[in-house]
Amino acid sequence: MKKYVCVVCGYIYDPEIGDPDNGVEAGVAWEDVPEDWLCPLCQVGKDQFEEVEE
């Protein structure tokens, strides 16, 4: 699964880890993360994330 990086603060959403502290379990693909989810570091929305180029 692809990782996504916050363009504001650099936080990387890794679907293998998820964001369990904010209700997103491990294994949840980016497309399935709720639209109202916010970056756990800087609180911006999903629209501020870009796919990580590997």
PDB file of all heavy atoms in Angstrom, residues 6 30 35-39 43-49:
ATOM      1  N   CYS A   6       2.209  14.522   4.588  1.00  0.00           N
ATOM      2  CA  CYS A   6       1.590  15.835   4.804  1.00  0.00           C
ATOM      3  C   CYS A   6       2.541  16.899   4.270  1.00  0.00           C
ATOM      4  O   CYS A   6       3.704  16.961   4.691  1.00  0.00           O
ATOM      5  CB  CYS A   6       1.338  16.040   6.296  1.00  0.00           C
ATOM      6  SG  CYS A   6       0.657  17.667   6.700  1.00  0.00           S
ATOM      7  N   TRP A  30      -5.174   4.427   2.261  1.00  0.00           N
ATOM      8  CA  TRP A  30      -5.425   5.866   2.264  1.00  0.00           C
ATOM      9  C   TRP A  30      -6.839   6.196   1.770  1.00  0.00           C
ATOM     10  O   TRP A  30      -7.521   7.050   2.326  1.00  0.00           O
ATOM     11  CB  TRP A  30      -4.376   6.571   1.406  1.00  0.00           C
ATOM     12  CG  TRP A  30      -4.550   8.051   1.346  1.00  0.00           C
ATOM     13  CD1 TRP A  30      -4.933   8.795   0.273  1.00  0.00           C
ATOM     14  CD2 TRP A  30      -4.353   8.991   2.416  1.00  0.00           C
ATOM     15  NE1 TRP A  30      -4.982  10.126   0.606  1.00  0.00           N
ATOM     16  CE2 TRP A  30      -4.631  10.268   1.922  1.00  0.00           C
ATOM     17  CE3 TRP A  30      -3.965   8.868   3.746  1.00  0.00           C
ATOM     18  CZ2 TRP A  30      -4.534  11.410   2.693  1.00  0.00           C
ATOM     19  CZ3 TRP A  30      -3.867  10.015   4.528  1.00  0.00           C
ATOM     20  CH2 TRP A  30      -4.148  11.259   3.996  1.00  0.00           C
ATOM     21  N   GLU A  35     -12.836  10.934   5.386  1.00  0.00           N
ATOM     22  CA  GLU A  35     -12.571  12.261   4.812  1.00  0.00           C
ATOM     23  C   GLU A  35     -12.394  13.332   5.883  1.00  0.00           C
ATOM     24  O   GLU A  35     -11.755  14.354   5.633  1.00  0.00           O
ATOM     25  CB  GLU A  35     -13.688  12.658   3.841  1.00  0.00           C
ATOM     26  CG  GLU A  35     -13.679  11.859   2.554  1.00  0.00           C
ATOM     27  CD  GLU A  35     -12.355  11.932   1.787  1.00  0.00           C
ATOM     28  OE1 GLU A  35     -11.795  13.029   1.656  1.00  0.00           O
ATOM     29  OE2 GLU A  35     -11.880  10.875   1.346  1.00  0.00           O
ATOM     30  N   ASP A  36     -12.947  13.121   7.076  1.00  0.00           N
ATOM     31  CA  ASP A  36     -12.822  14.126   8.140  1.00  0.00           C
ATOM     32  C   ASP A  36     -11.609  13.879   9.041  1.00  0.00           C
ATOM     33  O   ASP A  36     -11.405  14.587  10.023  1.00  0.00           O
ATOM     34  CB  ASP A  36     -14.105  14.209   8.962  1.00  0.00           C
ATOM     35  CG  ASP A  36     -14.434  12.903   9.681  1.00  0.00           C
ATOM     36  OD1 ASP A  36     -13.782  11.862   9.433  1.00  0.00           O
ATOM     37  OD2 ASP A  36     -15.373  12.924  10.505  1.00  0.00           O
ATOM     38  N   TRP A  37     -10.781  12.884   8.694  1.00  0.00           N
ATOM     39  CA  TRP A  37      -9.550  12.619   9.446  1.00  0.00           C
ATOM     40  C   TRP A  37      -8.599  13.799   9.286  1.00  0.00           C
ATOM     41  O   TRP A  37      -8.528  14.426   8.238  1.00  0.00           O
ATOM     42  CB  TRP A  37      -8.905  11.333   8.916  1.00  0.00           C
ATOM     43  CG  TRP A  37      -7.606  10.964   9.541  1.00  0.00           C
ATOM     44  CD1 TRP A  37      -7.420  10.277  10.702  1.00  0.00           C
ATOM     45  CD2 TRP A  37      -6.294  11.240   9.031  1.00  0.00           C
ATOM     46  NE1 TRP A  37      -6.080  10.118  10.949  1.00  0.00           N
ATOM     47  CE2 TRP A  37      -5.360  10.698   9.935  1.00  0.00           C
ATOM     48  CE3 TRP A  37      -5.818  11.900   7.908  1.00  0.00           C
ATOM     49  CZ2 TRP A  37      -3.991  10.792   9.749  1.00  0.00           C
ATOM     50  CZ3 TRP A  37      -4.447  11.987   7.721  1.00  0.00           C
ATOM     51  CH2 TRP A  37      -3.555  11.436   8.633  1.00  0.00           C
ATOM     52  N   LEU A  38      -7.854  14.114  10.345  1.00  0.00           N
ATOM     53  CA  LEU A  38      -6.895  15.220  10.313  1.00  0.00           C
ATOM     54  C   LEU A  38      -5.498  14.706  10.632  1.00  0.00           C
ATOM     55  O   LEU A  38      -5.331  13.742  11.387  1.00  0.00           O
ATOM     56  CB  LEU A  38      -7.276  16.295  11.332  1.00  0.00           C
ATOM     57  CG  LEU A  38      -8.633  16.957  11.133  1.00  0.00           C
ATOM     58  CD1 LEU A  38      -8.918  17.889  12.299  1.00  0.00           C
ATOM     59  CD2 LEU A  38      -8.703  17.691   9.812  1.00  0.00           C
ATOM     60  N   CYS A  39      -4.496  15.357  10.075  1.00  0.00           N
ATOM     61  CA  CYS A  39      -3.108  15.027  10.373  1.00  0.00           C
ATOM     62  C   CYS A  39      -2.920  15.088  11.892  1.00  0.00           C
ATOM     63  O   CYS A  39      -3.271  16.089  12.518  1.00  0.00           O
ATOM     64  CB  CYS A  39      -2.174  16.018   9.684  1.00  0.00           C
ATOM     65  SG  CYS A  39      -0.432  15.756  10.103  1.00  0.00           S
ATOM     66  N   GLN A  43      -2.958  18.937  12.148  1.00  0.00           N
ATOM     67  CA  GLN A  43      -4.412  19.074  12.061  1.00  0.00           C
ATOM     68  C   GLN A  43      -4.954  19.552  10.715  1.00  0.00           C
ATOM     69  O   GLN A  43      -6.069  20.055  10.650  1.00  0.00           O
ATOM     70  CB  GLN A  43      -4.942  19.989  13.185  1.00  0.00           C
ATOM     71  CG  GLN A  43      -4.528  19.537  14.572  1.00  0.00           C
ATOM     72  CD  GLN A  43      -5.020  18.138  14.918  1.00  0.00           C
ATOM     73  OE1 GLN A  43      -6.204  17.881  14.867  1.00  0.00           O
ATOM     74  NE2 GLN A  43      -4.112  17.243  15.235  1.00  0.00           N
ATOM     75  N   VAL A  44      -4.193  19.393   9.626  1.00  0.00           N
ATOM     76  CA  VAL A  44      -4.751  19.714   8.307  1.00  0.00           C
ATOM     77  C   VAL A  44      -5.482  18.493   7.767  1.00  0.00           C
ATOM     78  O   VAL A  44      -5.294  17.371   8.241  1.00  0.00           O
ATOM     79  CB  VAL A  44      -3.662  20.192   7.299  1.00  0.00           C
ATOM     80  CG1 VAL A  44      -3.026  21.480   7.789  1.00  0.00           C
ATOM     81  CG2 VAL A  44      -2.631  19.120   7.043  1.00  0.00           C
ATOM     82  N   GLY A  45      -6.298  18.701   6.750  1.00  0.00           N
ATOM     83  CA  GLY A  45      -7.101  17.627   6.186  1.00  0.00           C
ATOM     84  C   GLY A  45      -6.354  16.788   5.161  1.00  0.00           C
ATOM     85  O   GLY A  45      -5.209  17.072   4.787  1.00  0.00           O
ATOM     86  N   LYS A  46      -7.048  15.755   4.689  1.00  0.00           N
ATOM     87  CA  LYS A  46      -6.458  14.819   3.727  1.00  0.00           C
ATOM     88  C   LYS A  46      -6.041  15.500   2.426  1.00  0.00           C
ATOM     89  O   LYS A  46      -5.157  15.006   1.729  1.00  0.00           O
ATOM     90  CB  LYS A  46      -7.466  13.714   3.390  1.00  0.00           C
ATOM     91  CG  LYS A  46      -7.590  12.655   4.462  1.00  0.00           C
ATOM     92  CD  LYS A  46      -8.586  11.582   4.078  1.00  0.00           C
ATOM     93  CE  LYS A  46      -8.109  10.734   2.912  1.00  0.00           C
ATOM     94  NZ  LYS A  46      -9.053   9.663   2.564  1.00  0.00           N
ATOM     95  N   ASP A  47      -6.649  16.636   2.117  1.00  0.00           N
ATOM     96  CA  ASP A  47      -6.313  17.343   0.871  1.00  0.00           C
ATOM     97  C   ASP A  47      -4.905  17.934   0.896  1.00  0.00           C
ATOM     98  O   ASP A  47      -4.399  18.374  -0.131  1.00  0.00           O
ATOM     99  CB  ASP A  47      -7.347  18.418   0.565  1.00  0.00           C
ATOM    100  CG  ASP A  47      -7.426  19.491   1.637  1.00  0.00           C
ATOM    101  OD1 ASP A  47      -7.166  19.187   2.824  1.00  0.00           O
ATOM    102  OD2 ASP A  47      -7.771  20.628   1.304  1.00  0.00           O
ATOM    103  N   GLN A  48      -4.263  17.928   2.064  1.00  0.00           N
ATOM    104  CA  GLN A  48      -2.910  18.461   2.194  1.00  0.00           C
ATOM    105  C   GLN A  48      -1.847  17.361   2.165  1.00  0.00           C
ATOM    106  O   GLN A  48      -0.700  17.592   2.534  1.00  0.00           O
ATOM    107  CB  GLN A  48      -2.785  19.274   3.493  1.00  0.00           C
ATOM    108  CG  GLN A  48      -3.684  20.488   3.539  1.00  0.00           C
ATOM    109  CD  GLN A  48      -3.322  21.501   2.476  1.00  0.00           C
ATOM    110  OE1 GLN A  48      -2.172  21.883   2.344  1.00  0.00           O
ATOM    111  NE2 GLN A  48      -4.310  21.929   1.709  1.00  0.00           N
ATOM    112  N   PHE A  49      -2.242  16.169   1.726  1.00  0.00           N
ATOM    113  CA  PHE A  49      -1.325  15.027   1.648  1.00  0.00           C
ATOM    114  C   PHE A  49      -1.048  14.683   0.199  1.00  0.00           C
ATOM    115  O   PHE A  49      -1.922  14.818  -0.660  1.00  0.00           O
ATOM    116  CB  PHE A  49      -1.927  13.801   2.351  1.00  0.00           C
ATOM    117  CG  PHE A  49      -1.777  13.838   3.851  1.00  0.00           C
ATOM    118  CD1 PHE A  49      -2.551  14.691   4.604  1.00  0.00           C
ATOM    119  CD2 PHE A  49      -0.893  13.008   4.497  1.00  0.00           C
ATOM    120  CE1 PHE A  49      -2.441  14.729   5.989  1.00  0.00           C
ATOM    121  CE2 PHE A  49      -0.762  13.026   5.879  1.00  0.00           C
ATOM    122  CZ  PHE A  49      -1.530  13.886   6.621  1.00  0.00           C
TER     123      PHE A  49
END
